[in-house]
Amino acid sequence: MKTFFYLLLALCCAACAPKKQPVSLIFDTDMAPDYDDVGAMAVLHALADSGEVDILATVSSNKQETTAPCIDVLNTYFGRPGIPVGAPKGEGVSMDTWHKGLKWTEELPSRFPHKVESASQAEDAVSVYRRVLNAQPDTSVVVVTVGFFTNLKDLLESGPDADSPLSGKELVAAKVKRLVSMAGYFPEGKEFNVMMDAPASQYVFENWPTPIVLSGFDIGEKIITGKQTAAMPVEGSPVREAYKMCLEQDNPEGRNSWDQSAVLVAVRGAEPYFGLETGTLTVTPADSNDHWTPDPAGRHARLLPKMPTEQVTATIEALMMHQPTVRK
């Protein structure tokens, strides 16, 4: 009953939230090993429909061929088929879902409309980043990554091109306001997004020139969503279908909300949902460990629990259940 109350409250608050200038955002996802990426994109499009965010681009950090089609399915379903979709073209991780029954990574592209047929056919993620960033005002873009750090490393190392005379690091410093990332096992350990491309993670944490906000493993671990989403009385929703087929194979009560938490903070900020602790996250590629050092002068900040978990859960679930008003 308490969860239902918070869900109802979240729906009401979403409807009456004051309008602000939308956040200009690039979404970077591994879109395959786990399906919280699907929930994160549902949250992102719900916030776009409420005028809170302008989705500039959606890129995959995973070379798995179904990633780009799945991203395109979700963009198309929510009425934004024109959002650029990119994927890595150099060295990188290729990883599919762990499910052995119905695989949502195959089912979504087979059931729902999309134009991008594979990651190989998608545009180079770095090219998407450079073109989109160059077109934006200075210090105006939020980048949120809920996957591997491959694209961000490649972006930082990129050189001048037809879109911009700046190096990748100069372009990021000029155009990006902050990076929000689902990453880190605090205070020390192995976290999936960090360890899958540990050299890239190390490079980004050492060289990214803007503030970084980290939504760690401990944050999303406690926020269990998806049960209501999987039971939505709607037809033709890729979000509903992904959660329905996955929860039937995993836990019918829901799935951890690692990626959704990062998206929520990227758009609305940490408050009132979470507190912040400043410090520095370092990565040692030899063992893929990450280590957090609290420091008031640190270059990074990590989220800390603040709002009751039930209330944050209801907020995220309500956004995941959002349905597009107009599909193009």
Side-chain angles (χ1 to χ4, degrees):
M1 182 60 71
K2 181 185 290 187
T3 300
F4 176 78
F5 168 76
Y6 281 130
L7 180 59
L8 184 62
L9 179 63
L11 286 166
C12 293
C13 289
C16 62
K19 300 296 182 183
K20 298 180 180 179
Q21 187 70 21
V23 174
S24 298
L25 183 143
I26 298 175
F27 180 68
D28 196 321
T29 169
D30 56 359
M31 189 56 73
D34 207 340
Y35 48 100
D36 56 336
D37 302 74
V38 176
M41 286 200 69
V43 169
L44 185 59
H45 280 282
L47 294 170
D49 282 350
S50 67
E52 296 179 62
V53 63
D54 180 13
I55 308 170
L56 303 177
T58 47
V59 298
S60 170
S61 59
N62 186 351
K63 293 173 70 73
Q64 172 70 23
E65 291 289 15
T66 58
T67 58
C70 284
I71 292 170
D72 199 29
V73 161
L74 293 161
N75 286 341
T76 301
Y77 175 72
F78 283 102
R80 298 180 177 86
I83 294 176
V85 177
K89 300 302 178 183
E91 294 294 323
V93 177
S94 178
M95 178 175 288
D96 200 357
T97 180
W98 67 81
H99 293 117
K100 303 301 182 184
L102 283 177
K103 297 173 70 171
W104 66 271
T105 52
E106 297 175 356
E107 293 295 319
L108 294 193
S110 70
R111 297 186 193 181
F112 298 96
H114 62 286
K115 291 183 294 186
V116 181
E117 294 299 329
S118 67
S120 297
Q121 292 182 16
E123 187 180 355
D124 180 4
V126 171
S127 296
V128 172
Y129 265 113
R130 291 187 61 86
R131 183 180 72 254
V132 170
L133 287 174
N134 185 64
Q136 301 306 308
D138 286 351
T139 61
S140 66
V141 179
V142 173
V143 176
V144 56
T145 175
V146 296
F148 319 136
F149 287 84
T150 308
N151 289 332
L152 301 185
K153 174 180 180 292
D154 291 346
L155 171 61
L156 290 176
E157 292 186 324
S158 66
D161 60 8
D163 290 310
S164 172
L166 302 178
S167 70
K169 189 172 182 180
E170 290 170 339
L171 185 61
V172 169
K175 302 295 183 176
V176 175
K177 182 187 300 183
R178 73 178 63 88
L179 169 64
V180 179
S181 176
M182 191 279 114
Y185 194 97
F186 298 100
E188 182 176 7
K190 297 180 187 294
E191 190 278 311
F192 182 77
N193 287 341
V194 172
M195 66 181 287
M196 290 309 299
D197 191 348
S201 303
Q202 179 191 37
Y203 187 88
V204 171
F205 288 126
E206 290 180 355
N207 292 280
W208 191 264
T210 79
I212 299 177
V213 177
L214 300 161
S215 181
F217 180 88
D218 58 307
I219 295 297
E221 181 185 27
K222 300 176 180 67
I223 302 170
I224 307 300
T225 59
K227 184 176 181 179
Q228 288 94 341
T229 299
M232 288 190 297
V234 297
E235 298 297 330
S237 165
V239 180
R240 175 186 182 273
E241 292 307 306
Y243 271 85
K244 186 174 184 294
M245 71 180 79
C246 291
L247 294 185
E248 286 175 352
Q249 299 178 67
D250 296 332
N251 177 8
E253 294 303 310
R255 181 65 178 158
N256 314 85
S257 301
W258 291 293
D259 294 354
Q260 298 96 316
S261 305
V263 167
L264 182 68
V265 168
V267 176
R268 290 184 172 173
E271 296 287 349
Y273 310 102
F274 306 103
L276 288 171
E277 178 184 66
T278 304
T280 301
L281 189 71
T282 55
V283 179
T284 52
D287 58 10
S288 300
N289 268 14
D290 61 76
H291 178 79
W292 177 253
T293 303
D295 179 1
R299 297 177 291 111
H300 311 143
R302 72 171 180 124
L303 300 181
L304 299 174
K306 183 175 181 180
M307 182 180 284
T309 300
E310 295 89 348
Q311 196 169 344
V312 181
T313 300
T315 297
I316 289 174
E317 186 93 54
L319 291 167
M320 287 170 57
M321 294 171 66
H322 170 76
Q323 294 302 303
T325 53
V326 177
R327 297 181 202 168
K328 299 177 183 177

